[in-house]
Amino acid sequence: MFSKSPGPIGIFDSGYGGLTILHGIRQQLPEYDYLYLGDNARAPYGPRSFDVVYEFTRQAVRFLFERGCQLVILGCNTASAKALRSIQQKDLPQWDADRRVLGIIRPTAEIIGSLTKSRHVGILATEGTIKSESYNLEIKKLHPDIEVTGVACPFWVPLVEYNEADSPGADYFVKKNLDQLMRIDPQIDAIILGCTHYPLLMPKILKYIHPGIRVIPQGEYVASALTDYLHRHTDLEARCSKGGTAHYLTTENADTFRQQAQLFLHEPVEAEKIILG
Ligand code: DGL
């Protein structure tokens, strides 16, 4: 149904957050072509139901396949938690069993074992990701001795999406959720930022967290996991085109995307508006 010729690596997010993943990946794997898709018109996904996140993510992955991607990374924890498995099990075999869709929770869960000494880990994420329990399940599978505590931060994504990450409002919400997490488990020594938007709030997070606690954004670890994956899957690797380019698609206004994306990438980008559904 889809073409077999080499295409860009697709990166999908509900909005801008996946740009932190794209940035991390491009630093380690600059030689590939990338096609980013932000479903900005329908973000945030965090409070949406399982069925809706699955349907929206499915549409986005299909679109990226139609644009020639052989491999798509869900650069969104909410989509990884709620849609990845269904897409891998139900849709891929029907669409094209040779293509791949990967999530970002597993690589983060893998690395956490080496980043905590106290074996008490905190997860900050959207309501959808926390409720799905995906982090708890993945971490427990790999590191049964680690105690996992998750707190949903429903205001953090809107703060980032609406360019309020540096505002006093951000101070209030960041401190509130960090205090909440540390009150539940004061032994936590490593916190996973389990939402790809959250690295944009890093200056505020570091302001309110004890300096001994490690705060872990995902970009670097997802990039290392992808590097390793491509080494192990040479067939698929050969179907990822190598021109060093990045293109951006959004379901919202292209000019707005262009301006906002600069906050994440620190470089000008062009964007194309598309329609999903
Ligand atoms: N960036 C997405 C994540 O990693 C969530 C943002 C949203 O709620 O849409 O979970």
Side-chain angles (χ1 to χ4, degrees), residues 109 112 116 119-124 130 133-141 143-151 181 184-185 188 190 192:
I112 195 64
T116 169
R119 315 307 277 170
H120 287 251
V121 167
I123 314 291
L124 298 173
I130 296 295
E133 301 256 313
S134 299
Y135 270 102
N136 305 40
L137 297 170
E138 286 294 338
I139 292 175
K140 284 279 178 214
K141 234 188 275 166
H143 319 285
D145 61 320
I146 292 183
E147 204 56 53
V148 183
T149 304
V151 162
L181 179 68
I184 301 173
D185 184 356
I188 286 171
I192 294 174

Side-chain angles (χ1 to χ4, degrees), residues 3-7 9 32 68-71 96-100 227-242:
S3 145
K4 296 271 179 219
S5 35
I9 296 175
Y32 294 96
C69 299
Q70 305 284 332
L71 166 66
D96 181 346
D98 290 336
R99 301 209 184 196
R100 288 290 173 269
T227 306
D228 182 51
Y229 184 88
L230 291 172
H231 276 137
R232 287 184 286 111
H233 296 82
T234 46
D235 249 32
L236 184 65
E237 196 279 336
R239 286 185 286 126
C240 295
S241 59
K242 295 165 197 73

Side-chain angles (χ1 to χ4, degrees), residues 20-265:
T20 62
I21 299 294
L22 173 67
H23 184 69
I25 291 177
R26 282 194 90 195
Q27 282 190 322
Q28 282 189 40
L29 297 165
E31 66 274 31
Y32 294 96
D33 293 316
Y34 296 93
L35 184 58
Y36 184 88
L37 170 50
D39 190 7
N40 301 83
R42 302 189 292 194
Y45 279 14
R48 292 189 186 274
S49 68
F50 178 95
D51 289 351
V52 171
V53 173
Y54 167 48
E55 183 51 33
F56 287 180
T57 306
R58 191 175 170 275
Q59 291 168 5
V61 170
R62 206 186 148 87
F63 191 94
L64 288 167
F65 280 175
E66 278 163 3
R67 287 284 178 109
C69 299
Q70 305 284 332
L71 166 66
V72 172
I73 315 287
L74 302 184
C76 175
N77 290 275
T78 312
S80 299
K82 291 185 164 183
L84 177 66
R85 187 150 309 175
S86 303
I87 292 176
Q88 286 175 333
Q89 291 175 356
K90 284 199 249 166
D91 299 305
L92 267 185
Q94 286 178 29
W95 290 343
D96 181 346
D98 290 336
R99 301 209 184 196
R100 288 290 173 269
V101 181
L102 304 175
I104 57 175
I105 292 178
R106 175 84 189 195
T108 316
E110 272 169 8
I111 197 72
I112 195 64
S114 60
L115 300 177
T116 169
K117 282 204 180 79
S118 70
R119 315 307 277 170
H120 287 251
V121 167
I123 314 291
L124 298 173
T126 65
E127 215 181 314
T129 302
I130 296 295
K131 277 198 187 141
S132 76
E133 301 256 313
S134 299
Y135 270 102
N136 305 40
L137 297 170
E138 286 294 338
I139 292 175
K140 284 279 178 214
K141 234 188 275 166
L142 299 163
H143 319 285
D145 61 320
I146 292 183
E147 204 56 53
V148 183
T149 304
V151 162
C153 310
F155 291 98
W156 292 23
V157 169
L159 284 166
V160 173
E161 290 277 321
Y162 292 107
N163 201 6
E164 293 285 335
D166 296 325
S167 71
D171 281 89
Y172 174 80
F173 286 110
V174 167
K175 182 173 183 325
K176 179 180 166 175
N177 292 131
L178 286 174
D179 287 351
Q180 197 184 347
L181 179 68
M182 296 312 295
R183 256 199 315 273
I184 301 173
D185 184 356
Q187 291 189 62
I188 286 171
D189 71 347
I191 298 177
I192 294 174
L193 299 185
C195 171
T196 54
H197 284 68
Y198 296 177
L200 271 280
L201 289 160
M202 194 62 115
K204 300 284 189 208
I205 296 169
L206 295 177
K207 189 167 155 191
Y208 294 111
I209 203 74
H210 186 280
I213 298 175
R214 206 160 173 164
V215 181
I216 302 154
Q218 300 170 283
E220 177 191 337
Y221 303 110
V222 170
S224 303
L226 178 60
T227 306
D228 182 51
Y229 184 88
L230 291 172
H231 276 137
R232 287 184 286 111
H233 296 82
T234 46
D235 249 32
L236 184 65
E237 196 279 336
R239 286 185 286 126
C240 295
S241 59
K242 295 165 197 73
T245 65
H247 289 101
Y248 301 87
L249 309 172
T250 176
T251 52
E252 247 300 340
N253 182 282
D255 283 338
T256 314
F257 184 93
R258 195 168 41 76
Q259 283 162 22
Q260 287 290 104
Q262 287 199 36
L263 298 172
F264 288 76
L265 297 171

